[in-house]
Amino acid sequence: MSSTAGLAIRSAEDGDWTAMSLLAATCFGSFRPTEANDMWRTLIPADGAVVACDGGDVVGMAFYLDLRLTVPGGAVLPMAGVSWVCVSPTHRRRGVLRTLLAELHERMGSYPIAGLQASEAGIYDRFGYGSATIDESLSVDSRSADFRANAVDPGGVRIVRPLDERARLEEIYERWRLRTPGGLSTPPQLWDEVFSDREVSRHGGSSFFVLLHDDGFVFYRVHGEGERKSLGVTKFAAVTVDARVALWRTLLGMDLFDEVTVTAPPGELLPYLLTDPRLVRITGREDGLWLRIVDVPTVLEARTYLADVSMVLDVSGGGRFALDVRDGRARCAVTDAEPDVSMDLAVLGSLYLGAHRASTFAAANRLRCDDPAVVARLDAAFACEVPAQLGFGF
Ligand SMILES: CC(C)(COP(=O)(O)OP(=O)(O)OC[C@H]1O[C@@H](n2cnc3c(N)ncnc32)[C@H](O)[C@@H]1OP(=O)(O)O)[C@@H](O)C(=O)NCCC(=O)NCCS
C-alpha cells in the first residue's frame, strides 16, 4: 500500500464497488446498470482495479481489462485496457490520477502494451499514450444518394433478428477483428451485454436492427420520428469489399429515411461509389484507441511492415533500440548507438497501427530526424493496408 497526499492507494475490494459506481456516475454524468458493471468486472485480472481512499471514501479509481489487440499483419497481443479512470472533483489536480496510473502500470506486469479511450485528448500523452486510431463521423444524405453505374451490386444481404443469428454475427466479427488493426477479441459475456440491447445504450434510438451478409454485418438504430428519421449505424463490419458495398446499398435503399450516420476510419469507400460524393459529409473526427507501448521490441516485432527500414530509434520514456525491418518483418533490440530518429513514447504509440504518419509528427517537431529519406521510409514501413479501427469501446 502506498499513499499520496494523505490518501491510501490500494486494490479495490468487493465492498468498494457501490462507491466506485457512484464515483463513476458522478464523474461521467450517468449511471451504468449494475449488470453491465458486473460484466466488465469479469474482465479485470486479480488486483487489476485500484482505488484512492480518503478515510472511508473512495475518491479515485482506475482498472485495467485483460484484452487481446490485433496489430497490422494479424498478430494478436495481450493488451491491458485501462478504463473507469475517475478522480472526485473534491480531490482533483493534486496528483491522484498520476499516482493511480503509476500503480496500475506497475501492476500490469508482463502486458507488452496498454490501451485506453480518452475522455479528453489532453490528458494521456504525458503518460506515454498516443492516439492510434481515428474515427470520422460520417453523415450520408440517403434520399439523394445514387450509386454510379459501374459500382458493383453484389446483393446477398438479409434482414435478420439479432438473436436468431448470434453465432453467425460473432463468427463474422471474429474474422473482421483478426484482419483489422485495433480489433479486439470479444468474450462471450461481452456479447451477452451487446445482445441484451439495454434501453440505456440506445441513446433515444430504437432497438437494434441487423443487416447480415456472408462476409459482413451492420447493426443500426432508428432515430427521430414522423417525417425526419435517420439510421444510426452502431457497428459496420465488412470483411470483403462486396460485403461493404452490398451493406451500403441496403442501408441507402431505405426510402423513408433521410440520413445514415456512421463512424469509420479515414478513407471510407462510400463516396467513391456515389454519383455525388459530397452527399457523404465528414461531421466530426476523433481519436479512438490510445496506445502505450511497454515492451518496445516485442510490440515492434509483432506487426508486419510495408517497406524495409533500418535505424536507431530513441524513444524518450521507452529506451533506445536498433530497428531493422526486412521483407515486412522487424528485428528490434536495445542498443546504445547514436540515434537516427527520436520521439516520445506517445508518438510511437500513434505510429504503431498506421493511422498517423511519421512525416506529420516530424513537421510538428514531435519526431526528430536529420534525414528526410529516413522519415519517408518510416511513413512507408508503418503504413497499413487495412485501416485501424477500435473493435469495441471499453
Ligand atoms: C481527468 C481526471 C482523472 C484527472 O485526475 P486528477 O487527479 O485531477 O489528475 P492529476 O492531478 O493526477 O493530473 C496529472 C496530470 O494530468 C493533467 N491533467 C489532469 N486532468 C487533465 C485534463 N482534463 N486535461 C488536461 N490535462 C489534465 C494535470 O494537469 C497533470 O499534469 P502534470 O502533472 O503533467 O502537470 C479527473 O479530472 C476526472 O476524473 N475527470 C472526469 C472523468 C474523466 O474524464 N476521466 C478520464 C477518463 S479517460
Side-chain angles (χ1 to χ4, degrees):
M1 185 187 291
S2 60
S3 102
T4 305
L7 305 181
I9 309 292
R10 60 166 173 79
S11 293
E13 293 160 7
D14 284 348
D16 292 319
W17 282 85
T18 305
M20 291 165 70
S21 302
L22 178 61
L23 180 59
T26 307
C27 287
F28 295 121
S30 65
F31 283 94
R32 195 157 71 181
T34 310
E35 298 85 348
N37 285 341
D38 290 346
M39 186 284 298
W40 289 112
R41 281 180 66 182
T42 64
L43 300 176
I44 303 174
D47 292 324
V50 289
V51 288
C53 295
D54 187 350
D57 291 341
V58 174
V59 295
M61 66 187 193
F63 62 61
Y64 72 90
L65 307 164
D66 178 39
L67 301 177
R68 297 289 175 275
L69 171 77
T70 303
V71 304
V76 174
L77 288 174
M79 180 177 85
V82 175
S83 189
W84 258 31
V85 177
C86 298
V87 173
S88 168
T90 57
H91 288 67
R92 70 197 285 278
R93 307 300 183 269
R94 57 175 89 164
V96 179
L97 166 65
R98 185 173 283 284
T99 306
L100 286 170
L101 271 185
E103 179 72 24
L104 216 53
H105 289 158
E106 189 71 27
R107 290 172 183 225
M108 285 172 190
S110 60
Y111 284 87
I113 194 163
L116 54 76
Q117 286 177 279
S119 59
E120 294 179 273
I123 305 175
Y124 289 103
D125 184 298
R126 58 170 59 70
F127 300 115
Y129 291 83
S131 148
T133 66
I134 300 167
D135 289 331
E136 284 183 350
S137 302
L138 305 180
S139 163
V140 188
D141 176 351
S142 47
R143 282 208 193 243
S144 316
D146 279 322
F147 283 81
R148 301 174 71 93
N150 54 359
V152 295
D153 189 359
V157 174
R158 293 171 50 227
I159 295 160
V160 299
R161 295 196 310 173
L163 279 170
D164 292 349
E165 297 290 348
R166 176 170 169 162
R168 296 275 316 278
L169 293 163
E170 288 190 31
E171 181 274 320
I172 292 167
Y173 173 85
E174 189 64 7
R175 279 191 278 147
W176 176 86
R177 71 101 182 169
L178 284 171
R179 72 184 292 279
T180 306
L184 298 175
S185 109
T186 306
Q189 62 269 43
L190 183 46
W191 278 119
D192 291 343
E193 182 61 27
V194 171
F195 283 99
S196 72
D197 194 13
R198 292 182 200 287
E199 185 84 42
V200 69
S201 314
R202 296 181 190 171
H203 304 291
S206 68
S207 53
F208 277 135
F209 290 87
V210 172
L211 307 176
L212 178 64
H213 180 279
D214 280 351
D215 297 311
F217 63 78
V218 164
F219 279 57
Y220 71 88
R221 301 184 190 282
V222 175
H223 294 266
E225 283 177 358
E227 293 291 288
R228 292 204 60 80
K229 286 203 289 274
S230 65
L231 306 183
V233 173
T234 57
K235 185 75 191 168
F236 194 135
V239 180
T240 62
V241 170
D242 273 4
R244 178 164 289 278
V245 178
L247 289 162
W248 268 125
R249 280 189 178 272
T250 309
L251 278 170
L252 300 186
M254 299 196 208
D255 288 338
L256 300 184
F257 302 91
D258 302 296
E259 181 193 26
V260 177
T261 60
V262 64
T263 57
E268 167 58 44
L269 177 64
L270 182 64
Y272 298 86
L273 300 170
L274 299 182
T275 54
D276 182 350
R278 277 192 208 164
L279 296 178
V280 184
R281 285 185 306 120
I282 299 172
T283 57
R285 179 182 150 106
E286 271 196 12
D287 45 274
L289 176 67
W290 291 61
L291 290 177
R292 178 178 192 268
I293 298 180
V294 180
D295 180 344
V296 174
T298 297
V299 170
L300 291 187
E301 287 182 1
R303 65 158 286 180
T304 57
Y305 296 82
L306 294 188
D308 292 350
V309 67
S310 193
M311 76 187 77
V312 172
L313 200 61
D314 188 71
V315 184
S316 85
R320 189 172 294 180
F321 306 91
L323 176 68
D324 191 26
V325 178
R326 291 273 168 270
D327 303 324
R329 304 297 325 194
R331 301 287 304 272
C332 182
V334 172
T335 182
D336 52 14
E338 276 304 297
D340 304 297
V341 177
S342 61
M343 65 183 91
D344 288 347
L345 186 58
V347 172
L348 190 60
S350 287
L351 297 181
Y352 186 58
L353 299 182
H356 296 277
R357 288 160 61 87
S359 51
T360 315
F361 281 108
N365 198 29
R366 294 173 62 190
L367 179 150
R368 286 154 301 276
C369 175
D370 291 335
D371 185 351
V374 172
V375 178
R377 294 213 70 75
L378 270 174
D379 277 351
F382 277 77
C384 183
E385 277 155 0
V386 181
Q389 196 173 5
L390 177 59
F392 56 80
F394 59 91

